[in-house]
Amino acid sequence: MTATELPKSLIPTLPGSSYTDPQIFALEQEKIFERMWFCAVRASDLAGPGSFRTVQVGRESVLVTRTRDGGVKAYLNICRHRGARLCTEESGEVKRSFQCPYHAWTYGLDGRLVAAPNLTSMPDVDRTTYGLVPVHVREWLGYAWVCLADEPPSFETDVIGAATERLGTPEAIDRYQTESLAVGRRIRYEVRANWKLIIENFMECYHCATIHPELTDVLPEFAGGYAAQYYVGHGAEFAGDAEGFTVDGSAGVDRIPTVSEDQDRRYYAITIKPQVFVNLVPDHVIVHRMYPLAADHTVVECDWLFLKDVVDAGRDVSRSVELFHRVNVQDFDACERCQPAMDSRAYRAGGVLVPSEHHIGAFHTWVTDRLRG
């Protein structure tokens, strides 16, 4: 059945091959992940000069580090001599420089080539020209965002603008002071599913009554099938008997003091394409970062952020963490249930979206336009 033959209530999804074809995934790496702003590292993970983390952005390994002046820099994680991987560890700390384990070419935290065997006998080698290849960096919400494009798109439009478009005002997200919150818990999920399935799942709540009993107990409107993201500026209201956003509806921890009264006892969700989810509740913020590694493999790193005093005091945040951890496990299980069927002849032309999911069609159009562009 073609799109024009569908009932008016239904619109088509992407075809099944969009979720399984390695060539399509390679194109997404090139035209989406390597050209857009990508949320890479929590700034607090780079505790001091020389702290670093490596992340996979599209087809590239990117090295993100804290410099001596307290700033954050990012480089392609490749030695300029013979192309060896500079840092093989996911995270770590160096004292003054990064040294390639192959031929000992050595680079300062500012990316300049500072030493190499017999370098003094090669006076024509410019130490900046042959330094590490820099990557654009911006900091927002307490995270370092990187962009591999030679000329990156507007951060204000693509990233901050996504939060403004969802919440209605640019000030709404600022009230959660996300950049000053501390990581109370981090969980890393290995999801055997395509990154688009994960985004589509997060954007809709048609499935919430079926697989999220704990979530719909706290946010009863979700049982009706319409996600908070469906409406600009709307936050799902807590159940009358729920004291906080916790797995059992009990009270959470200290409320973020700058959250406004109209934001209190409400949950807001934001999708920042191509790989970030932000979840806002009065006493904490949950940030998901996706790292698509293959057409059927996505790593999701999830941070639960609380007031620094709450974390420093060792307050019990387990009930707050457990609620969305269960949601994550339920969602990722659903995505992994779908992934094998994307290759089925029954899904060759794709599936359909019901009215409460029609906004996902805009995401599909966005992906298609990016790949064509």
Side-chain angles (χ1 to χ4, degrees):
M1 182 177 291
T2 66
T4 55
E5 296 172 324
L6 288 174
K8 290 184 179 180
S9 297
L10 305 177
I11 63 174
T13 68
L14 294 170
S17 59
S18 293
Y19 304 89
T20 61
D21 189 333
Q23 292 184 329
I24 292 177
F25 180 71
L27 201 59
E28 291 169 343
Q29 289 179 304
E30 176 191 352
K31 296 197 171 186
I32 295 178
F33 303 118
E34 295 175 15
R35 296 189 185 181
M36 299 189 67
W37 288 102
F38 191 101
C39 189
V41 178
R42 182 73 182 169
S44 60
D45 291 342
L46 306 174
S51 297
F52 71 86
R53 183 161 178 189
T54 58
V55 296
Q56 190 70 25
V57 181
R59 297 162 297 179
E60 297 283 1
S61 175
V62 176
L63 171 65
V64 189
T65 188
R66 179 79 63 188
T67 58
R68 292 188 179 283
D69 62 3
V72 174
K73 294 281 190 180
Y75 312 98
L76 297 185
N77 186 23
I78 300 294
C79 178
R80 297 298 306 281
H81 173 220
R82 296 273 296 282
R85 181 67 55 89
L86 195 61
C87 293
T88 56
E89 305 89 350
E90 186 174 285
S91 62
E93 184 175 339
V94 296
K95 289 185 177 180
R96 297 182 180 84
S97 57
F98 297 98
Q99 186 174 84
C100 177
Y102 192 8
H103 295 94
W105 279 39
T106 305
Y107 305 88
L109 301 181
D110 60 359
R112 292 184 76 246
L113 177 64
V114 296
N118 306 317
L119 184 60
T120 55
S121 66
M122 298 177 279
D124 56 335
V125 175
D126 184 87
R127 299 190 181 209
T128 298
T129 301
Y130 285 90
L132 298 177
V133 176
V135 172
H136 299 281
V137 180
R138 286 285 300 267
E139 290 190 66
W140 187 60
L141 300 183
Y143 288 88
W145 303 65
V146 302
C147 184
L148 301 184
D150 292 337
E151 295 184 10
S154 167
F155 191 87
E156 287 69 23
T157 299
D158 283 11
V159 179
I160 300 175
T164 301
E165 181 180 4
R166 165 68 187 92
L167 299 177
T169 66
E171 298 80 21
I173 197 169
D174 294 337
R175 299 191 189 110
Y176 291 85
Q177 298 185 329
T178 308
E179 67 284 346
S180 63
L181 301 181
V183 179
R185 190 73 56 84
R186 173 175 291 162
I187 300 178
R188 181 185 178 99
Y189 305 87
E190 297 277 348
V191 187
R192 292 294 172 177
N194 186 270
W195 67 281
K196 296 187 294 299
L197 288 176
I198 299 172
I199 287 188
E200 292 161 14
N201 173 278
F202 184 74
M203 291 180 70
E204 55 93 357
C205 215
Y206 191 46
H207 67 278
C208 288
T210 308
I211 70 172
H212 295 321
E214 299 89 353
L215 184 63
T216 54
D217 281 349
V218 177
L219 303 175
E221 72 177 65
F222 276 11
Y226 284 89
Q229 294 185 78
Y230 197 84
Y231 310 100
V232 175
H234 176 72
E237 190 172 3
F238 292 5
D241 59 352
E243 296 182 64
F245 195 73
T246 58
V247 71
D248 56 4
S250 60
V253 292
D254 299 350
R255 173 180 159 184
I256 300 166
T258 46
V259 168
S260 64
E261 289 300 321
D262 63 326
Q263 293 171 316
D264 193 21
R265 294 185 56 78
R266 289 187 179 272
Y267 162 83
Y268 298 85
I270 305 166
T271 300
I272 302 177
K273 297 188 290 289
Q275 45 82 248
V276 177
F277 307 144
V278 182
N279 309 268
L280 307 168
V281 292
D283 63 343
H284 64 282
V285 173
I286 307 164
V287 178
H288 297 70
R289 284 167 289 150
M290 291 193 301
Y291 300 92
L293 301 181
D296 60 353
H297 183 196
T298 307
V299 169
V300 182
E301 195 164 88
C302 188
D303 290 342
W304 282 261
L305 308 173
F306 300 86
L307 289 170
K308 190 174 185 299
D309 290 346
V310 168
V311 175
D312 289 348
R315 297 275 300 278
D316 182 9
V317 298
S318 61
R319 291 188 302 275
S320 299
V321 171
E322 182 62 22
L323 175 56
F324 229 89
H325 171 58
R326 290 192 191 182
V327 171
N328 286 339
V329 171
Q330 292 156 353
D331 279 340
F332 300 153
D333 178 70
C335 293
E336 290 182 339
R337 181 181 291 268
C338 291
Q339 182 65 38
M342 299 295 101
D343 267 334
S344 168
R345 69 186 68 183
Y347 210 80
R348 191 168 293 154
V352 293
L353 300 170
V354 302
S356 62
E357 303 170 305
H358 280 187
H359 58 295
I360 296 175
F363 169 64
H364 292 163
T365 299
W366 175 84
V367 170
T368 301
D369 289 347
R370 294 289 307 191
L371 299 190
R372 287 174 178 168

